[in-house]
Amino acid sequence: MTRSAQATRGRSSRTVGRFAPSPSGSLHIGNLRTALAAWALARRQGGRFLLRMEDLTTGAEPVAESEQISDLALLGIDFDGPLVRQSQRRGRYDEVLADLLKRGLIYECFCTRREIRDATRAPHGPIDAYPGICADLSDTARRELLEQGRRPALRVRCGGQRAEFVDRMLGDMSGIADDFVVRRGDGLYAYNFAVVIDDADFGINQVVRGDDLVDSTPRQIALADLLGFPRPEYVHIPLVVGPDGERLSKRHGAVGLHEILANGIPIGRIRARLARSLGAEYSGQDLDPDRIPPLLNVENIPRDPWVLDPDLIEW
Ligand code: GLU
């Protein structure tokens, strides 16, 4: 860890939150709602809020980055510190990987997806839990696989440990952490690895994100524990779904901020509607950004997904 990261982490218990989109496409109103919640929950306690682009797999010039930043700014979501891009942090990930390697906690995995799927599933693990096929490969087997031209991914030995955590939305949670991939066969670092290092290095102590990521949390906690990093507080927010109950997407209609604005809905009205959908008691038509943080708190955020029909919603 760098000295400045250590200094960040050592600071008081002031909330440090973040929004961490992947710049692979436009943010829709559901993603923006989660961002608004994360921002408001950090800001309401006078906390800091950081923006991180999770661009490890999207290439050097992610098309959607500037559009995402301008959408967030339109809503009034502001950030502290410079924008962090995971693509610029590979040296740091190499360093952590080297440490885990030295501790004997990393092994090569030659399995294809299919081989994993076909192997017996761990009875209590996540649905795609890795059953440990390559955990103890002999040197001969390893050499043969390399000779076949297979490029191994790297997995961290979590040994199927149970990770327990309290989610402020979902309550007591627990799940098994399998030996998950930290670096893919093509050399790219995996989300579950980078996210843990980034959150720790930047002193993030409050993770507010969509509840589609709750199943990844035991893995992330297990890794944080192995690395001696403090665990952040978790707030997993139910996603926004379309009228068919499926995760909101373009096919449901006008779900992008610009499309909604182009339909003549003022930005203040969109803010008010999003804040209400997150449990804010606010009956005014328009809402300025600085009024949002005091209106939101975890206890009032609905525990069920927000069902949104883009054609019928009254902003
Ligand atoms: N980059 C992830 C996403 O866009 C979010 C990661 C996180 O919040 O931990 O779904």
Side-chain angles (χ1 to χ4, degrees), residues 18-22 31 52 54 86 191 195 199 207-210 212-213 220:
R18 46 63 159 192
F19 184 56
S22 162
N31 310 130
R52 177 173 75 233
E54 302 214 320
Q86 288 187 326
Y191 155 71
V195 69
D199 283 344
V207 169
V208 180
R209 59 186 178 190
D212 54 326
L213 288 168
Q220 295 172 13

Side-chain angles (χ1 to χ4, degrees), residues 16-46:
V16 187
R18 46 63 159 192
F19 184 56
S22 162
S24 51
S26 303
L27 293 172
H28 61 56
I29 200 69
N31 310 130
L32 290 167
R33 175 181 182 260
T34 304
L36 191 73
W39 170 80
L41 293 177
R43 293 291 191 216
R44 77 186 300 268
Q45 307 162 44

